[in-house]
Short mmCIF file of all heavy atoms in Angstrom, two decimals:
data_model
loop_
_atom_site.label_atom_id
_atom_site.label_comp_id
_atom_site.label_asym_id
_atom_site.label_seq_id
_atom_site.Cartn_x
_atom_site.Cartn_y
_atom_site.Cartn_z
N GLN A 466 65.20 -23.83 1.75
CA GLN A 466 64.13 -23.81 0.76
C GLN A 466 64.66 -24.43 -0.53
O GLN A 466 65.67 -23.99 -1.08
CB GLN A 466 63.67 -22.37 0.51
CG GLN A 466 63.03 -21.71 1.73
CD GLN A 466 61.78 -22.42 2.19
OE1 GLN A 466 60.93 -22.80 1.40
NE2 GLN A 466 61.67 -22.63 3.50
N GLY A 467 64.01 -25.48 -0.99
CA GLY A 467 64.48 -26.15 -2.20
C GLY A 467 65.72 -26.96 -1.92
O GLY A 467 65.82 -27.65 -0.90
N ILE A 468 66.71 -26.85 -2.79
CA ILE A 468 67.95 -27.62 -2.66
C ILE A 468 69.02 -26.71 -2.08
O ILE A 468 69.32 -25.65 -2.63
CB ILE A 468 68.39 -28.16 -4.03
CG1 ILE A 468 67.27 -29.01 -4.64
CG2 ILE A 468 69.67 -28.99 -3.90
CD1 ILE A 468 67.49 -29.37 -6.08
N GLY A 469 69.60 -27.12 -0.96
CA GLY A 469 70.59 -26.30 -0.30
C GLY A 469 71.86 -26.14 -1.12
O GLY A 469 72.18 -26.96 -1.99
N GLU A 470 72.62 -25.11 -0.83
CA GLU A 470 73.82 -24.77 -1.60
C GLU A 470 74.87 -25.88 -1.52
O GLU A 470 75.46 -26.27 -2.54
CB GLU A 470 74.40 -23.45 -1.08
CG GLU A 470 75.64 -22.99 -1.83
CD GLU A 470 76.17 -21.68 -1.30
OE1 GLU A 470 75.46 -21.00 -0.52
OE2 GLU A 470 77.32 -21.31 -1.66
N VAL A 471 75.14 -26.38 -0.32
CA VAL A 471 76.15 -27.43 -0.16
C VAL A 471 75.68 -28.72 -0.81
O VAL A 471 76.44 -29.40 -1.51
CB VAL A 471 76.47 -27.64 1.33
CG1 VAL A 471 77.39 -28.85 1.52
CG2 VAL A 471 77.10 -26.39 1.93
N THR A 472 74.41 -29.07 -0.58
CA THR A 472 73.83 -30.27 -1.19
C THR A 472 73.99 -30.22 -2.71
O THR A 472 74.44 -31.19 -3.34
CB THR A 472 72.34 -30.40 -0.83
OG1 THR A 472 72.19 -30.42 0.59
CG2 THR A 472 71.74 -31.66 -1.43
N ALA A 473 73.61 -29.10 -3.29
CA ALA A 473 73.65 -28.96 -4.75
C ALA A 473 75.08 -29.03 -5.27
O ALA A 473 75.36 -29.67 -6.30
CB ALA A 473 73.00 -27.65 -5.16
N ALA A 474 76.02 -28.39 -4.56
CA ALA A 474 77.40 -28.34 -5.04
C ALA A 474 78.05 -29.71 -5.00
O ALA A 474 78.74 -30.12 -5.95
CB ALA A 474 78.20 -27.35 -4.19
N ILE A 475 77.85 -30.45 -3.91
CA ILE A 475 78.46 -31.78 -3.81
C ILE A 475 77.81 -32.73 -4.80
O ILE A 475 78.50 -33.54 -5.44
CB ILE A 475 78.35 -32.32 -2.37
CG1 ILE A 475 79.19 -31.46 -1.43
CG2 ILE A 475 78.79 -33.78 -2.29
CD1 ILE A 475 79.11 -31.86 0.03
N ARG A 476 76.51 -32.62 -4.97
CA ARG A 476 75.84 -33.49 -5.94
C ARG A 476 76.34 -33.22 -7.35
O ARG A 476 76.61 -34.15 -8.12
CB ARG A 476 74.32 -33.29 -5.88
CG ARG A 476 73.55 -34.28 -6.77
CD ARG A 476 72.06 -34.03 -6.75
NE ARG A 476 71.37 -35.15 -7.36
CZ ARG A 476 71.23 -35.34 -8.68
NH1 ARG A 476 71.78 -34.45 -9.52
NH2 ARG A 476 70.59 -36.39 -9.15
N GLU A 477 76.46 -31.95 -7.71
CA GLU A 477 76.93 -31.60 -9.04
C GLU A 477 78.34 -32.14 -9.29
O GLU A 477 78.64 -32.67 -10.36
CB GLU A 477 76.91 -30.08 -9.22
CG GLU A 477 77.37 -29.62 -10.60
CD GLU A 477 77.36 -28.11 -10.75
OE1 GLU A 477 77.10 -27.41 -9.75
OE2 GLU A 477 77.61 -27.63 -11.88
N GLN A 478 79.19 -32.03 -8.28
CA GLN A 478 80.56 -32.53 -8.44
C GLN A 478 80.59 -34.05 -8.55
O GLN A 478 81.30 -34.61 -9.40
CB GLN A 478 81.41 -32.06 -7.26
CG GLN A 478 82.89 -32.43 -7.42
CD GLN A 478 83.74 -31.90 -6.28
OE1 GLN A 478 83.22 -31.44 -5.27
NE2 GLN A 478 85.05 -31.98 -6.43
N LEU A 479 79.83 -34.72 -7.71
CA LEU A 479 79.82 -36.18 -7.72
C LEU A 479 79.28 -36.72 -9.04
O LEU A 479 79.90 -37.59 -9.67
CB LEU A 479 78.97 -36.70 -6.55
CG LEU A 479 78.84 -38.21 -6.40
CD1 LEU A 479 80.21 -38.86 -6.27
CD2 LEU A 479 77.96 -38.55 -5.19
N VAL A 480 78.15 -36.21 -9.49
CA VAL A 480 77.58 -36.64 -10.76
C VAL A 480 78.52 -36.28 -11.91
O VAL A 480 78.67 -37.05 -12.87
CB VAL A 480 76.18 -36.02 -10.97
CG1 VAL A 480 75.65 -36.31 -12.37
CG2 VAL A 480 75.20 -36.56 -9.93
N GLY A 481 79.17 -35.12 -11.82
CA GLY A 481 80.11 -34.71 -12.85
C GLY A 481 81.27 -35.67 -12.99
O GLY A 481 81.71 -36.00 -14.10
N ILE A 482 81.79 -36.16 -11.87
CA ILE A 482 82.87 -37.15 -11.91
C ILE A 482 82.36 -38.44 -12.52
O ILE A 482 83.02 -39.04 -13.39
CB ILE A 482 83.42 -37.39 -10.49
CG1 ILE A 482 84.14 -36.15 -9.97
CG2 ILE A 482 84.38 -38.59 -10.49
CD1 ILE A 482 84.48 -36.20 -8.49
N GLN A 483 81.21 -38.90 -12.09
CA GLN A 483 80.66 -40.16 -12.58
C GLN A 483 80.43 -40.13 -14.09
O GLN A 483 80.66 -41.13 -14.78
CB GLN A 483 79.35 -40.47 -11.85
CG GLN A 483 79.55 -40.80 -10.37
CD GLN A 483 78.25 -40.87 -9.60
OE1 GLN A 483 77.24 -40.28 -9.99
NE2 GLN A 483 78.26 -41.58 -8.49
N THR A 484 79.99 -39.01 -14.60
CA THR A 484 79.64 -38.90 -16.01
C THR A 484 80.78 -38.38 -16.88
O THR A 484 80.62 -38.21 -18.08
CB THR A 484 78.41 -38.00 -16.19
OG1 THR A 484 78.67 -36.71 -15.61
CG2 THR A 484 77.18 -38.61 -15.51
N GLY A 485 81.94 -38.10 -16.27
CA GLY A 485 83.10 -37.68 -17.04
C GLY A 485 83.16 -36.20 -17.36
O GLY A 485 84.04 -35.77 -18.11
N VAL A 486 82.26 -35.41 -16.78
CA VAL A 486 82.24 -33.97 -17.04
C VAL A 486 83.27 -33.25 -16.17
O VAL A 486 83.83 -32.22 -16.57
CB VAL A 486 80.83 -33.41 -16.79
CG1 VAL A 486 80.80 -31.90 -16.94
CG2 VAL A 486 79.84 -34.05 -17.75
N ILE A 487 83.52 -33.79 -14.99
CA ILE A 487 84.48 -33.21 -14.05
C ILE A 487 85.63 -34.20 -13.84
O ILE A 487 85.40 -35.41 -13.78
CB ILE A 487 83.78 -32.88 -12.70
CG1 ILE A 487 82.76 -31.75 -12.90
CG2 ILE A 487 84.81 -32.49 -11.64
CD1 ILE A 487 81.96 -31.42 -11.66
N GLU A 488 86.84 -33.68 -13.74
CA GLU A 488 88.02 -34.54 -13.62
C GLU A 488 87.95 -35.42 -12.37
O GLU A 488 87.58 -34.96 -11.29
CB GLU A 488 89.28 -33.68 -13.57
CG GLU A 488 90.57 -34.48 -13.56
CD GLU A 488 91.81 -33.60 -13.50
OE1 GLU A 488 91.65 -32.37 -13.45
OE2 GLU A 488 92.92 -34.16 -13.51
N ASP A 489 88.32 -36.68 -12.55
CA ASP A 489 88.35 -37.65 -11.46
C ASP A 489 89.71 -37.60 -10.79
O ASP A 489 90.66 -38.26 -11.21
CB ASP A 489 88.06 -39.05 -12.02
CG ASP A 489 88.24 -40.15 -10.98
OD1 ASP A 489 88.16 -39.85 -9.77
OD2 ASP A 489 88.44 -41.31 -11.39
N LEU A 490 89.84 -36.83 -9.73
CA LEU A 490 91.12 -36.64 -9.06
C LEU A 490 91.47 -37.77 -8.10
O LEU A 490 92.60 -37.86 -7.63
CB LEU A 490 91.12 -35.31 -8.30
CG LEU A 490 90.94 -34.05 -9.15
CD1 LEU A 490 90.88 -32.81 -8.26
CD2 LEU A 490 92.06 -33.92 -10.17
N HIS A 491 90.51 -38.63 -7.81
CA HIS A 491 90.73 -39.69 -6.82
C HIS A 491 90.86 -41.08 -7.45
O HIS A 491 90.99 -42.07 -6.72
CB HIS A 491 89.59 -39.68 -5.79
CG HIS A 491 89.53 -38.43 -4.98
ND1 HIS A 491 90.43 -38.15 -3.97
CD2 HIS A 491 88.70 -37.35 -5.05
CE1 HIS A 491 90.15 -36.97 -3.43
NE2 HIS A 491 89.11 -36.47 -4.08
N GLY A 492 90.83 -41.17 -8.77
CA GLY A 492 90.95 -42.47 -9.42
C GLY A 492 89.77 -43.38 -9.15
O GLY A 492 89.93 -44.61 -9.01
#
Side-chain angles (χ1 to χ4, degrees):
Q466 296 298 316
I468 303 169
E470 181 179 347
V471 173
T472 303
I475 294 177
R476 186 182 192 280
E477 181 181 6
Q478 185 177 12
L479 180 57
V480 172
I482 293 169
Q483 292 170 337
T484 57
V486 175
I487 293 176
E488 185 180 1
D489 173 23
L490 298 177
H491 296 286

